[in-house]
Amino acid sequence: MRTSELQWHMRSALEQAEKAYKQDEVPVGALIINDFGDVISVAHNEKEQNHDPVGHAEILAIQRAAKKLGGWRLSGHTLIVTLEPCPMCLAAMVQARVSHCVFGAYDAKGGALSLGFNLNSDSRLNHQFSIMGGIVHWECSNILSRYFKEKRQVYKMKRKA
């Protein structure tokens, strides 16, 4: 898939991140596309609203795609997400057999790859897939920075009160 197509899809994932932001969720959006570039599912973080520790955008996008397709194997599909996947989400991609993952912002504190958990390329596991990071990085980083900056300001105000 060409970079321009990936950028276009990443902007769709950013629309999902904006929805999360407006719902006071960590603004991460994800979508799954097939090899033809058709969007199969979309999702954003829903941890807070659903009181669900696994309510990450990637997990929800995988679940929705599997339900829509009538099967859990997502071979031939790409997961596009605005933030580098955490170890849990990367492991879910292995289990779902996605073919590719594309992400926007790197996550030095929680991203599986940044932390050295390269589950996508671990030959001890029964599935490997490609990953590409940094697509529309600035926009993906910016929404997260804005969200956490606002959270810190609210926290400081509460501490002063």
Side-chain angles (χ1 to χ4, degrees):
M1 188 171 293
R2 294 188 329 231
T3 303
S4 60
E5 292 172 275
L6 293 175
Q7 290 170 338
W8 185 83
H9 283 300
M10 187 62 74
R11 285 189 171 70
S12 295
L14 273 165
E15 290 174 10
Q16 290 297 309
E18 277 292 335
K19 288 180 182 182
Y21 181 90
K22 290 175 183 172
Q23 295 173 5
D24 202 23
E25 296 275 356
V26 174
V28 176
L31 54 95
I32 293 182
I33 61 172
N34 64 19
D35 279 343
F36 302 106
D38 301 320
V39 176
I40 304 302
S41 68
V42 298
H44 57 76
N45 276 359
E46 295 181 8
K47 279 179 68 169
E48 301 301 329
Q49 70 184 19
N50 292 334
H51 313 289
D52 182 359
V54 297
H56 290 203
E58 301 96 320
I59 300 288
L60 298 171
I62 289 169
Q63 290 172 336
R64 292 170 187 170
K67 186 174 184 176
K68 182 175 182 177
L69 296 170
W72 60 269
R73 288 178 186 86
L74 300 179
S75 300
H77 291 79
T78 299
L79 191 145
I80 298 174
V81 62
T82 58
L83 180 64
E84 178 183 349
C86 72
M88 175 184 70
C89 291
L90 197 59
M93 289 180 226
V94 171
Q95 292 300 313
R97 310 295 194 267
V98 300
S99 294
H100 311 284
C101 173
V102 176
F103 68 89
Y106 285 86
D107 183 0
K109 294 180 182 177
L113 302 170
S114 292
L115 295 172
F117 297 108
N118 299 305
L119 300 173
N120 63 297
S121 60
D122 191 328
S123 61
R124 296 172 296 177
L125 300 174
N126 62 355
H127 178 69
Q128 290 84 43
F129 58 95
S130 66
I131 293 188
M132 178 188 301
I135 300 295
V136 192
H137 174 79
W138 189 89
E139 292 93 332
C140 294
S141 296
N142 188 47
I143 190 171
L144 288 156
S145 296
R146 188 175 75 215
Y147 175 82
F148 286 113
K149 181 179 180 182
E150 290 173 8
K151 286 290 182 190
R152 285 189 297 275
Q153 288 173 343
V154 168
Y155 176 74
K156 286 179 186 178
M157 289 172 57
K158 285 183 180 180
R159 285 186 67 203
K160 289 181 182 179

